[in-house]
Amino acid sequence: MTRSSHWHIQQIILITLIGIVCGVIYQYGVNSLYNVVRVAVAPTGLSPYVDNFFAGLWFIAAPLSMYFVPAIGSGTIGETLAAIVEMFLGSQWGAFTLAYGIAQGAGNEFGFFPKTKKYQAFSWNSVLLGAIGAAVVSFIWDYFASGYNHFGLLILLGLFITRIISALLFDGVMVKLITLQFDGLWRQETPAKG
């Protein structure tokens, strides 16, 4: 398989599959674990930190989509599709899930946009900057939509740092390590020229 930045039927199907698989993982994997941890931590008052610790896990559809379809907009489309699937599977955030998906996908694109060569290269820098972009954009969304504007400055700073770390760890490093495995597989499939 080759990575193509052109939107053909193969790329549309691939992004759709990434969105479906990630949406199912988000709803039945991440959300389930998140709910258990959030309930366990609730008596301590640290539930908002749980939200931000798990945030990076909800960002992974975008960079995976950008890796497999290195084109402008592929991350936003992939993450939005994952959010739609998660929402229709009964996400506890309802229609907000769709807005989160758009914000997370668009944020991830910051590491790559506007140069299409960055999408094709899928470098560590681009992936990590994309993770930071997703963390910042989604945090701004939460500031207004989730009541973060009622927190004090020190709590906001702690939540923001937690989200950045989560995004770098899960959306950045974990996704890049996964894509390196695919790079290795594709190198094995490519016949040697000689």
Side-chain angles (χ1 to χ4, degrees):
M1 179 178 169
T2 59
R3 296 169 59 223
S4 174
S5 60
H6 300 287
W7 289 97
H8 299 295
I9 192 72
Q10 180 182 7
Q11 283 67 37
I12 293 168
I13 291 170
L14 191 53
I15 293 258
T16 303
L17 288 173
I18 290 168
I20 291 169
V21 169
C22 286
V24 170
I25 290 170
Y26 293 168
Q27 178 59 25
Y28 295 117
V30 178
N31 292 356
S32 298
L33 182 59
Y34 162 81
N35 288 331
V36 168
V37 173
R38 196 161 201 279
V39 167
V41 172
T44 67
L46 297 174
S47 293
Y49 287 93
V50 173
D51 300 348
N52 288 279
F53 176 77
F54 275 81
L57 289 169
W58 284 301
F59 301 165
I60 64 172
L64 287 174
S65 296
M66 289 187 288
Y67 172 76
F68 286 104
V69 182
I72 294 172
S74 59
T76 303
I77 293 168
E79 193 68 56
T80 301
L81 288 171
I84 289 168
V85 169
E86 180 185 1
M87 181 178 66
F88 281 117
L89 290 175
S91 171
Q92 63 219 40
W93 296 282
F96 269 140
T97 307
L98 179 58
Y100 275 114
I102 294 167
Q104 293 162 359
N108 258 297
E109 302 252 2
F110 283 139
F112 299 85
F113 186 81
K115 298 180 180 178
T116 54
K117 288 182 180 180
K118 287 184 175 183
Y119 286 82
Q120 193 67 36
F122 205 79
S123 69
W124 276 101
N125 283 342
S126 293
V127 174
L128 294 176
L129 285 173
I132 291 169
V136 169
V137 171
S138 65
F139 194 85
I140 291 169
W141 170 260
D142 275 333
Y143 183 82
F144 295 105
S146 299
Y148 281 23
N149 55 332
H150 297 292
F151 292 132
L153 183 60
L154 287 179
I155 292 176
L156 278 174
L157 187 60
L159 296 175
F160 184 70
I161 290 169
T162 304
R163 184 167 302 203
I164 293 287
I165 291 169
S166 173
L168 289 172
L169 181 64
F170 298 121
D171 183 37
V173 174
M174 184 178 79
V175 168
K176 182 62 178 173
L177 292 175
I178 290 168
T179 61
L180 287 174
Q181 295 302 310
F182 280 102
D183 286 344
L185 288 173
W186 288 342
R187 266 187 249 121
Q188 291 174 358
E189 288 179 10
T190 307
K193 292 181 182 179

